[in-house]
């Protein structure tokens, strides 16, 4: 049997490395100067150990270089690393004179290799065209060394090794830069998607609130207007005809129960309870217009209807027609005044087109306009949903009262 390896032992190490990396990056983001000082201090210390500790003598072409010059070169080749991220080009130019002196004297300090770190930051943070002169600036000291100490090596070996080192530094810098740009692009896209999601959620919530407010206005406003009309009529009939008053009370009770039932169904839809499902009832349609008109008539408003053509509308269009009729009659009940009458003229055409005109003989003028801010806007929203038109205003000429004209064009094939 093959041995079974448990990869769970590798997970803690991976997580530890990731956490350490995140902490280091977090420290770098919060305190970039502190991090730069730490990195620069590390390389300065390494350069001083190599220079002052005598390690440079193992590869030096001229071991007689004075200690003071070695100290100066070690600091000159390492201290500019402090600006490697903010000003890598300036730092490389600052290192160049010390690199030339290092090559000319034959000290060949290993600190000169720190130029590759500056090349890496150039590839990471600056346009790639800067790498051309940076490469020439690093290769030049090698040429000086080869020209003065040609017997110690060959041109191919020295230049090839240096060019390979520069290419490696550039490749690492470009790779890190590409990954960083891609990560930033993904993060930006995620932020934009999150923002769009929140905006869509807010728009959906606003649209749903508007829809619920419109439905409650249409349902409750109409029934309350009918109840108000019935109550006014019952009050006047109480003294003269108790039977008519009792009929008005019965109608009030029936209308109130209907309003309460519709309100409960609307609120049940809003409940987030999987155990108690809302009892959904069909939305009103054109077949419910007779019942609607009968309720308005019982509230004391005479309504005359004229229908032309045959109805063949989609359910959504039927609901729009029903709500416009309901709102128009509700406004007439509320604002037309006593002794007013209403006339509904409904004309159907081929293709689902329909024209609805509701007029009343009330006082007319701004008095009959809805004042709650939801009547006419609600009708206009329903009309715009199907590309229709809505006109509402006082009747012109000698005729008094208010007129609502609603038209839906033919249904377009999907």
């Amino acid at each position: 049997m093959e041995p079974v390896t448990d990869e769970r032992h590798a997970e803690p190490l991976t997580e530890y490395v990731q956490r350490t990396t995140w902490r280091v990056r977090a420290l770098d983001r919060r305190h970039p100067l502190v991090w730069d000082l730490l990195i620069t201090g590390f390389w300065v210390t390494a350069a001083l150990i190599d220079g002052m500790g005598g390690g440079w003598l193992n590869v030096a072409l001229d071991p007689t270089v004075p200690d003071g010059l070695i100290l100066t070169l070690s600091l000159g080749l390492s201290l500019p690393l402090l600006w490697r991220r903010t000003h890598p080009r300036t730092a490389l130019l600052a290192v160049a004179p010390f690199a030339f002196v290092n090559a000319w004297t034959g000290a060949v300090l290993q600190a000169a290799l720190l130029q590759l770190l500056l090349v890496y930051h150039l590839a990471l943070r600056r346009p790639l065209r800067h790498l051309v002169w940076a490469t020439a600036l690093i290769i030049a000291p090698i040429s000086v060394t080869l020209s003065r100490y040609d017997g110690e090596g060959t041109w191919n070996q020295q230049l090839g090794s240096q060019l390979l080192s520069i290419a490696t530094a550039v490749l690492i810098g470009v790779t890190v830069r590409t990954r960083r740009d891609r990560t930033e692009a993904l993060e930006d896209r995620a932020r934009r998607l999150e923002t769009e999601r929140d905006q869509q959620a807010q728009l959906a919530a606003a649209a749903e609130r508007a829809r619920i407010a419109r439905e409650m206005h249409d349902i409750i406003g109409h029934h309350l207007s009918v109840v108000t009309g019935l109550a006014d009529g019952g009050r006047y009939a109480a003294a003269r005809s108790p039977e008519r008053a009792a009929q008005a009370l019965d109608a009030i009770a029936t209308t109130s129960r209907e309003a309460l039932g519709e309100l409960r169904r609307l609120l049940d839809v809003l409940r987030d309870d999987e155990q108690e499902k809302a009892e959904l009832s069909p939305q009103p349609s054109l077949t419910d217009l007779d019942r609607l008109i009968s309720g308005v008539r019982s509230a004391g408003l005479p309504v005359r209807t004229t229908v032309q053509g045959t109805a063949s509308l989609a359910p959504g269009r039927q609901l729009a027609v029903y709500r416009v009729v309901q709102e128009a009659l509700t406004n007439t009940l509320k604002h037309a005044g006593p002794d007013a009458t209403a006339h509904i003229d409904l004309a159907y055409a081929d293709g689902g087109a329909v024209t609805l005109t509701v007029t009343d003989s009330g006082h007319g003028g701004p008095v009959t306009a809805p004042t709650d801010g939801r009547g006419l806007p609600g009708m206009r929203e329903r009309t715009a949903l199907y590309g229709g038109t809505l006109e509402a205003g006082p009747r012109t000429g000698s005729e008094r009262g208010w007129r609502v004209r609603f038209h839906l064009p033919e249904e377009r094939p999907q």
Side-chain angles (χ1 to χ4, degrees):
M1 295 179 58
E2 295 182 0
V4 179
T5 58
D6 188 359
E7 297 182 355
R8 292 178 297 177
H9 295 293
E11 293 179 358
L13 178 60
T14 303
E15 295 177 359
Y16 174 77
V17 173
Q18 291 179 349
R19 286 196 301 270
T20 303
T21 303
W22 291 337
R23 290 172 183 173
V24 170
R25 290 178 179 174
L27 173 63
D28 187 16
R29 287 192 297 267
R30 292 194 303 267
H31 309 287
L33 180 58
V34 173
W35 184 248
D36 287 341
L37 288 173
L38 290 174
I39 296 298
T40 304
F42 172 80
W43 289 116
V44 169
T45 302
L48 291 177
I49 291 175
D50 178 65
M52 305 311 297
W56 65 281
L57 295 173
N58 296 325
V59 295
L61 299 177
D62 184 1
T64 63
V65 180
D67 293 340
L69 183 58
I70 295 297
L71 175 62
T72 302
L73 292 176
S74 299
L75 295 176
L77 293 170
S78 58
L79 279 177
L81 292 179
L82 183 62
W83 299 279
R84 72 191 185 283
R85 294 196 294 185
T86 56
H87 303 88
R89 183 173 57 178
T90 303
L92 189 60
L93 291 174
V95 169
F98 297 96
F100 274 100
V101 174
N102 180 52
W104 181 267
T105 59
V108 195
L109 295 177
Q110 298 300 307
L113 296 176
L114 294 177
Q115 294 177 100
L116 298 176
L117 187 58
L118 298 176
V119 171
Y120 162 79
H121 281 280
L122 273 175
L124 180 64
R125 305 175 189 280
R126 294 293 183 268
L128 296 181
R129 64 176 181 272
H130 291 174
L131 296 174
V132 177
W133 62 262
T135 301
L137 194 63
I138 296 176
I139 292 296
I142 302 298
S143 303
V144 172
T145 301
L146 293 175
S147 62
R148 283 179 56 83
Y149 306 96
D150 187 37
E152 299 295 332
T154 63
W155 282 83
N156 292 335
Q157 292 177 348
Q158 294 290 336
L159 289 178
S161 175
Q162 193 69 12
L163 288 175
L164 181 60
S165 300
I166 295 173
T168 302
V170 170
L171 181 61
I172 295 175
V174 171
T175 302
V176 174
R177 180 176 185 170
T178 302
R179 181 179 178 182
R180 182 194 62 184
D181 293 344
R182 177 175 174 79
T183 302
E184 290 178 354
L186 291 175
E187 291 177 351
D188 180 67
R189 183 171 180 270
R191 285 193 296 268
R192 287 189 286 106
L193 289 176
E194 185 177 357
T195 302
E196 292 176 2
R197 181 198 63 190
D198 294 340
Q199 291 176 348
Q200 291 176 357
Q202 293 174 1
L203 291 175
E208 186 65 13
R209 286 195 297 268
R211 186 190 69 82
I212 294 171
R214 184 172 60 243
E215 293 294 332
M216 293 189 69
H217 171 272
D218 292 342
I219 295 172
I220 306 303
H222 170 74
H223 285 87
L224 288 180
S225 297
V226 172
V227 168
T228 301
L230 290 171
D232 291 339
R235 183 180 59 185
Y236 291 116
R240 300 180 180 179
S241 177
E243 295 180 356
R244 294 289 302 274
Q247 293 175 358
L249 291 176
D250 291 338
I252 289 174
T254 302
T255 304
S256 300
R257 279 192 292 270
E258 291 178 356
L260 184 59
E262 293 191 29
L263 179 60
R264 283 176 177 173
R265 283 192 292 269
L266 181 60
L267 295 179
D268 284 341
V269 175
L270 304 180
R271 295 184 60 181
D272 187 13
D273 191 349
E274 297 182 355
Q275 296 180 353
E276 298 183 14
K277 299 296 183 181
E279 295 182 3
L280 301 179
S281 61
Q283 290 279 22
S285 62
L286 295 178
T287 57
D288 299 306
L289 277 179
D290 292 339
R291 182 180 179 184
L292 171 68
I293 295 172
S294 298
V296 174
R297 287 170 178 165
S298 65
L301 176 65
V303 180
R304 182 167 55 92
T305 60
T306 302
V307 180
Q308 303 176 11
T310 303
S312 60
L313 303 179
R317 288 174 167 243
Q318 293 189 37
L319 177 62
V321 174
Y322 179 91
R323 291 304 188 196
V324 171
V325 173
Q326 183 184 54
E327 180 62 28
L329 294 179
T330 300
N331 290 334
T332 301
L333 278 172
K334 292 165 60 178
H335 306 294
D339 301 328
T341 61
H343 179 211
I344 300 174
D345 188 357
L346 192 57
Y348 302 106
D350 296 335
V354 58
T355 301
L356 167 70
T357 304
V358 181
T359 57
D360 65 59
S361 60
H363 297 295
V367 178
T368 63
T371 59
D372 55 10
R374 297 194 184 276
L376 277 176
M379 288 193 290
R380 296 189 190 281
E381 289 175 5
R382 296 183 186 277
T383 305
L385 184 62
Y386 298 99
T389 58
L390 179 72
E391 300 175 1
R395 300 171 69 180
T396 58
S398 59
E399 297 177 328
R400 68 174 187 175
W402 191 266
R403 186 189 73 162
V404 175
R405 187 179 186 277
F406 168 77
H407 174 71
L408 292 183
E410 296 182 5
E411 292 188 77
R412 297 180 179 179
Q414 300 295 332

